[in-house]
Every structure is written in structure tokens, then in C-alpha cells.
Amino acid sequence: MTALLPLPVVVPLLGAALTLILVNRPRLQRTVSVVALGTNLVVAVLLLVRAHRDGPVVTEVGGWPAPVGIVLVADQLAALMLVVSSAVTLCVLLYSIGQGRAETSESAPVSIYHPTYLVLTAGITNAFLAGDLFNLFVGFEILLAASFVLITLGGTEARIRTGSTYVVVSILSSMIFLAAVGLVYAATGTLNLAQLAGRLDALPDGVRLALQLMLLLAFGIKAAMFPLSAWLPDSYPTAPAPVTAVFAGLLTKVGVYAIIRTETLLFPGGQVANLLMVGAGLTMVVGVLGAVAQSDMKRLFSFTLVSHIGYMIFGVALSTTAALSGAIFYVVHHITIQTTLFLVAGLVEERAGSTDLRRLGGLARVTPLLAVLFFVPAMNLAGIPPFSGFLGKVGLLQAGVAQGGPLPWVLVVAGTVTSLLTLYATSRVWNIAFWRAPQLATAEPVVRLPGLMVGATTALVVLGLALTVAAGPLFQVTADAAVDLRLRTPYVRAVLPGGPP
Amino acid sequence: MRGGGAGPTLVLVIAVGLLTATGVTLLLERSLTRILLGVILFGNGVNLLILVGGRSGVAPVVGAGPEDEMSDPLPQAMVLTAIVITFGLTAFLAAVAYRSWYLGGNDEVQDDVEDQQIVALAARNEVANADLGGEGPGDDPEQVDPEPPQRGPRRPGGTR
């Protein structure tokens, strides 16, 4: 089973090499991509089952034993992230294949799309599986380099303008991360996460706090926490629909995953809990107020994306088992839903010619299927019962109430208000774009949307609904993962069976 | 960097500070070329910082010298990776800056257009999409075409 562990990183990379060779054979290129990501999904599910039953799966890359060599670790949290990200990347890939077949306009993927997309996937899985800080950095860099290419795909003026902001901010956050890695090594003499867990505990409090804040700053930029989130709503919406969807779903969540991992494994004890809570509250409220003011679907969803990052940070800040479990559940839910909404926005753009609310109307009458595809995930995002968004929010708010104290209560109120305002923002989109008299922004509307695009979106909507139906077992897994995260010993013991040297 | 023992030399530490400070200052500029220079300086500062973190000494090869005087090879391995990554990112940023200049005639990072529209709306105390009645979009003087142009004006002699 441990032999399977490197596959989620290696298979997409090999696939990227193959698709690069096959640039002139589009059909074969698509097949290779789909097979690579399909394999990823299967491997991820196997890893999750194994991690849930027998504890973390560890493999030593290159055969060097743990603190010296590089390790890949799939504990329940990493494996769960892997499953969701594989499913989402596969659906988005199918969507973009459908889009590529349908049209030849600017938004259509070019031949470099497939290799880059697979490299992006490899970066994401590498970040999830990384067992040491430097490998995490490399994972981030792989996915960033690929995302730079994807966000400036085609090199048009708008994409270059927004892309340059994205590139500069991402490079800055990488530099901060790298500096933090260097300082952590200087302070402890290791970068292996399991070994760091012990050695960081032995450091003086001040040094430990400085390292923690520096890592938090780097991950906060990537996860788009409030004061560090201004880059996101500007840069995401101009990219092609599938690219925006996968960025919105996964890239920020890799940052959130890194925050969860470092705050629980490396720096437990909640030294920055209050800071995180203030950040989480501001992220929620400021983000959703931004969403209310927007008049373009994609930008509006970019702001709700920022806003809902706050919920996950809230869970991390509380850091109780229930809160972490809720946060992990929320990450899973939000990856699926946010990706779906951006795919639907892409479908609207395809069908009606624009996502600008000032130019849309009456889509529910024109394409009832599209209306259903929008309505279900939109209500799910807003947290209407019985959807998974509601369950995740309730889990987090309950954890907040159980904690008690003024700041958690403020956060509970902020979370509720954010949920209501999200409902307001999404129902505004519904009212304007899907009700009213039919009005399309294009003179020659597409009569039928490509089946593969609609199919892939439907698959994600169904996955979002499945999260609701399977919420019980899923909460069991996330609760188990949260217990492991709080204990720390399962992870450390799996990586260093003989105890830390 | 053989400062006679374990500690890094002061020169290196000062170099790190200087590179980082100038890098950050340049990063605050609006022109992409200056940001690019800033990224290069900042990146090199950070790379040096990693190097400073390790113990200095003789080459870490078994048999080349006494083991307790060897330098720490790990930061050197990490810094190699980091240099390659920084180099790649710098190259991409250079390409973006060139493309930006090629398309727009300058390499300044522009403001967000949509954002300014919303600021203008807020200044006039209006609501976006207050009108639910279904007037045509042609009545709205604020109306912009959200579709980016296919490509900018071509420069004579420019190749794509």
C-alpha cells in the first residue's frame, strides 16, 4: 500500500510529460489527462480507506530513513483532501474538454493547457502529502508556477493585467515562506514535520511565536485571509472558467490545509488563537460585504470564496476536536461547492455571453437545467438546511458556542450574519440573472450547451449533494482526523517509529 | 563563509538585510521592471538567509576532514533548489512584464477597472443593479464590455 503513496504526485507529472509530447494529437492528449486524474482519484480513495483503518500511510522517498530522507505522509486529513481534490480536478478537466470541443474563442483551452493543468494537480497533491516543510514549499512552487501559466493563458491584456498582480503577490508569499523555512531550519536543525513537532516545543516561546507568525503570514496570503486577501477577487475572474473554478476550489484550500497542519502539528497550544479569530471574523464579514457590492457573477463568487475562508480559520483558531472536525468538513464542502459555482458561471457565460448581472435576465426560463444547476450549490453555499453548507456551519458554530467566551461568541454572530449575507448575495444573483424578462448579452446564443460541460457540472452538483447525504460517515472521518491532529502522536509515530532521534 | 567555527560571519548577515531591504523597497513600486528587480534582490536575500542558517566549515565529504568541522550540507542543497525556483519565477515575471509592455506600451500594474466602478457607485451612494425592471443595458452609461479585447494593437516589427 505504501507503494501507492507517491503515485498522486508522479502520475500527473508523467501525464504532463506525455501530454506535452502529444501536443499535436489532441484526442490522445485528452485521454492521457483523463486517465492520469482518474488514477489519482482511485489511489486517493484507497489511501483514505487505508489511513482511516490503520492510521497514517508513510513512504520514504529514495529509501532514506525518516529524519534524513524526504517522507510522504497520508494521514486522514491529507488523504481526505486528496480524494476531494482528485474528484474536483477530474470534473474540471472533463468540463474544460467539453468547452474545448464546443468553441474556438478566447476562453477555449490551448494545447499547453493539459500539461500545465496536470503539473498543477501534481503540485496540489505534493503539498497535501508533504511530510517536511521544504517539500511543502516545493509543492507550493509547482502549483504556483503552473497557476501562473494558467492565469495568463493566451496572454490577453486583461489577463496580463490581473495576472501580474497575482504573480507578484504569489512570489512575495513564497519568499516569506522560504525565509520562514530557512529560519525554522536555523532554529531547530530539521525540517521534517514529525521531528519539528518535538523540537519546536523545546524552543523559547518568543522564537517559536516568531516562526509561527512568519509561516502564518505566508499561508495567510495563499489562503486569502482578510488583510492579505485583496489580490484574489481582482485576479481570479479573468481566467478561463475551468481555471478559475479549480483555483477557487483548490489553491486557497491548499493554504488552509497548510495552516491546519502547522497550527496543529507544529504549534499547538493556541498562542495565536485570538489573532486567528479576529482575522477569521474580518475575513467573513469584509469578504461577504464585498460580494454584496459586486455586479458580476464571477467577482461575486470570488468574494464569497474569501468570505468563507473565514469559517475554516475560525475552526482552526478554536482548535478543539469539534472545531477542527467542523473546519475539515467545511474545507471539503467548500472545495466542491465553490468549484461548482464557478463552473456554472462558466456555463452562464457560454449560454448568455456574459456573467455581468447588468446584462443578464430570465435565464430560468431560457435554460431551466442551468437554473437548477445554479440554485442547488448557491443555496448550499448560503447554508440552507439540509445542505452540507448548513451542516458544516452548524458544526463550527456549535464548537464556538461550546468554547464560550466573548471572542468566540462574536465569531458565532459574525458567522451567522455572513451566512445570511451570502444568502442575500446569491439570491440577488438568482433574482437578477435567472428571473425577470429573458435577456441575453449575446446576439447569437448557443442553442445547446456541450453535454460534457453540463455533465461535469452536474457531477459536481451531485457530489455536493452526496456530501449532505453522506455527512454522517464524513463527519466520523473528519472527527477521527481532528482527534489525530490534536493528539499529534499518530502522525509522529508513523513517520518516526523509533521515536525522534 | 568560514568564519572560524559555527557562527555565520557578520558580512553575510548584513548582506541579507541589505538585499531584503532594497528588494522590498523596489517591490512597492508600480512598474513591473522595478518589481522584477525587487524580486531578484529579495529572492537572493532569502537564499543567503537559508545559507546563513547552516553551520559553516569544510566540505561535507567523508574523509575530506574531521567530521565535527564539516559544514552543514542541507541548507546548501535547499538553497540550490530555492535558487532554481527563484530563477524560474523571475523569468516568468520578466515575460509578464515584457508582454504587458508589448500590449499596453508600459509595464505599470493597472488598477482594477470593476473595483473603480464600484467605488464610483459608492461615492454617488447608488446600489449596483438597483433596477430589477428589465431595462436594456444600452441605457446605462456605465456599461462596459466585460469581454477583454482579443489582442492589443500590434506594434510594428513585433513578433508573437
Side-chain angles (χ1 to χ4, degrees):
Chain A
M1 188 51 115
T2 53
L4 284 179
L5 196 47
L7 286 186
V9 184
V10 174
V11 169
L13 281 180
L14 284 180
L18 262 180
T19 46
L20 203 54
I21 296 171
L22 298 172
V23 160
N24 295 324
R25 313 268 307 270
R27 182 181 286 270
L28 212 54
Q29 200 187 27
R30 286 187 221 121
T31 318
V32 169
S33 308
V34 172
V35 168
L37 292 187
T39 318
N40 255 14
L41 182 57
V42 174
V43 172
V45 170
L46 288 175
L47 283 175
L48 178 60
V49 170
R50 173 69 190 268
H52 185 58
R53 277 206 199 129
D54 312 333
V57 189
V58 180
T59 191
E60 283 149 359
V61 182
W64 292 88
V68 180
I70 293 173
V71 286
L72 294 179
V73 188
D75 64 345
Q76 289 184 68
L77 171 63
L80 187 61
M81 293 290 117
L82 213 55
V83 171
V84 184
S85 66
S86 308
V88 165
T89 45
L90 183 60
C91 284
V92 174
L93 180 73
L94 293 175
Y95 180 95
S96 58
I97 289 174
Q99 191 181 31
R101 278 206 189 132
E103 56 164 344
T104 50
S105 78
E106 179 200 31
S107 53
V110 287
S111 59
I112 197 70
Y113 176 82
H114 283 266
T116 321
Y117 187 80
L118 289 175
V119 171
L120 180 82
T121 320
I124 293 170
T125 50
N126 191 27
F128 286 149
L129 291 177
D132 69 280
L133 220 45
F134 198 74
N135 203 12
L136 184 64
F137 170 73
V138 172
F140 269 120
E141 291 312 306
I142 297 174
L143 76 85
L144 279 184
S147 73
F148 292 167
V149 176
L150 288 175
I151 209 164
T152 54
L153 210 62
T156 58
E157 205 163 355
R159 285 187 191 158
I160 290 291
R161 179 187 70 74
T162 55
S164 51
T165 320
Y166 175 76
V167 170
V168 172
V169 172
S170 302
I171 290 180
L172 180 65
S173 85
S174 300
M175 292 299 164
I176 295 171
F177 186 13
L178 189 58
V181 168
L183 291 176
V184 167
Y185 184 82
T188 61
T190 182
L191 286 175
N192 183 291
L193 288 177
Q195 201 178 8
L196 272 179
R199 290 206 183 170
L200 281 171
D201 286 351
L203 284 183
D205 274 355
V207 178
R208 196 163 164 269
L209 185 63
L211 294 175
Q212 184 179 11
L213 286 177
M214 200 145 172
L215 282 175
L216 197 61
L217 179 63
F219 297 144
I221 297 177
K222 290 183 201 294
M225 255 174 84
F226 162 60
L228 314 167
S229 65
W231 58 273
L232 191 145
D234 186 20
S235 51
Y236 277 12
T238 46
V243 171
T244 313
V246 81
F247 280 19
L250 288 171
L251 297 200
T252 48
K253 305 310 180 303
V254 181
V256 173
Y257 167 82
I259 290 178
I260 295 180
R261 180 65 80 202
T262 49
E263 292 303 308
T264 54
L265 184 64
L266 302 186
F267 305 99
Q271 267 186 308
V272 296
N274 286 350
L275 177 74
L276 277 176
M277 264 191 240
V278 172
L282 287 174
T283 312
M284 284 186 210
V285 175
V286 174
V288 85
L289 287 179
V292 166
Q294 296 304 312
S295 52
D296 183 280
M297 258 168 105
K298 286 185 177 177
R299 290 180 65 89
L300 193 146
F301 290 137
S302 303
F303 274 99
T304 61
L305 165 64
V306 172
S307 162
H308 286 232
I309 297 290
Y311 285 104
M312 303 158 211
I313 305 296
F314 177 42
V316 180
L318 288 175
S319 186
T320 57
T321 309
L324 281 175
S325 162
I328 298 169
F329 182 86
Y330 206 84
V331 173
V332 172
H333 146 80
H334 199 244
I335 288 178
T336 319
I337 295 308
Q338 198 72 47
T339 312
T340 318
L341 282 171
F342 272 104
L343 289 186
V344 173
L347 285 178
V348 169
E349 191 170 26
E350 193 88 353
R351 183 69 181 79
S354 172
T355 54
D356 194 332
L357 294 179
R358 290 164 293 200
R359 309 175 67 184
L360 295 177
L363 284 177
R365 205 179 305 163
V366 182
T367 56
L369 175 64
L370 196 53
V372 173
L373 287 184
F374 171 81
F375 189 75
V376 173
M379 291 302 111
N380 200 336
L381 180 76
I384 298 295
F387 291 125
S388 55
F390 170 73
L391 301 172
K393 286 184 184 81
V394 165
L396 282 170
L397 297 186
Q398 272 181 342
V401 171
Q403 178 98 340
L407 208 47
W409 268 108
V410 170
L411 262 287
V412 167
V413 173
T416 318
V417 170
T418 305
S419 175
L420 287 174
L421 283 175
T422 311
L423 181 62
Y424 169 67
T426 49
S427 35
R428 223 187 89 225
V429 174
W430 173 259
N431 281 350
I432 295 175
F434 288 90
W435 276 353
R436 301 200 293 169
Q439 170 192 337
L440 302 181
T442 172
E444 63 264 24
V446 191
V447 182
R448 274 184 65 84
L449 286 168
L452 202 50
M453 285 171 84
V454 178
T457 315
T458 315
L460 272 181
V461 172
V462 171
L463 181 62
L465 290 176
L467 291 182
T468 312
V469 177
L474 188 58
F475 253 115
Q476 255 170 19
V477 176
T478 60
D480 252 23
V483 171
D484 280 7
L485 285 179
R486 292 262 298 151
L487 280 177
R488 300 209 284 167
T489 40
Y491 189 97
V492 176
R493 210 171 283 154
V495 177
L496 306 166
Chain B
M1 60 178 277
R2 296 182 59 177
T9 59
L10 190 62
V11 181
L12 265 182
V13 177
I14 292 173
V16 170
L18 213 62
L19 283 172
T20 314
T22 34
V24 169
T25 314
L26 282 170
L27 269 179
L28 299 175
E29 295 280 338
R30 242 180 194 237
S31 150
L32 271 178
T33 318
R34 292 183 185 196
I35 293 176
L36 178 69
L37 291 174
V39 166
I40 295 172
L41 290 176
F42 189 20
N44 283 325
V46 172
N47 289 345
L48 264 186
L49 175 74
I50 297 180
L51 217 49
V52 170
R55 193 178 54 173
S56 58
V58 297
V61 179
V62 178
E67 277 182 28
D68 52 345
E69 279 177 28
M70 281 183 185
S71 61
D72 190 346
L74 216 57
Q76 301 176 15
M78 287 193 296
V79 93
L80 270 181
T81 318
I83 287 171
V84 173
I85 290 173
T86 320
F87 178 73
L89 296 185
T90 312
F92 190 86
L93 192 57
V96 168
Y98 174 73
R99 185 77 184 152
S100 175
W101 169 81
Y102 175 80
L103 287 170
N106 65 42
D107 64 348
E108 302 238 318
V109 179
Q110 302 297 317
D111 278 338
D112 186 359
V113 187
E114 284 266 347
D115 215 33
Q116 286 170 335
Q117 284 181 0
I118 285 167
V119 169
L121 274 180
R124 279 181 275 122
N125 210 8
E126 286 174 16
V127 187
N129 310 102
D131 157 43
L132 295 179
E135 271 177 273
D139 304 335
D140 188 356
E142 291 277 284
Q143 186 66 58
V144 288
D145 193 350
E147 281 293 310
Q150 187 70 20
R151 66 173 64 155
R154 285 195 78 139
R155 285 162 178 281
T159 49
R160 282 166 62 83

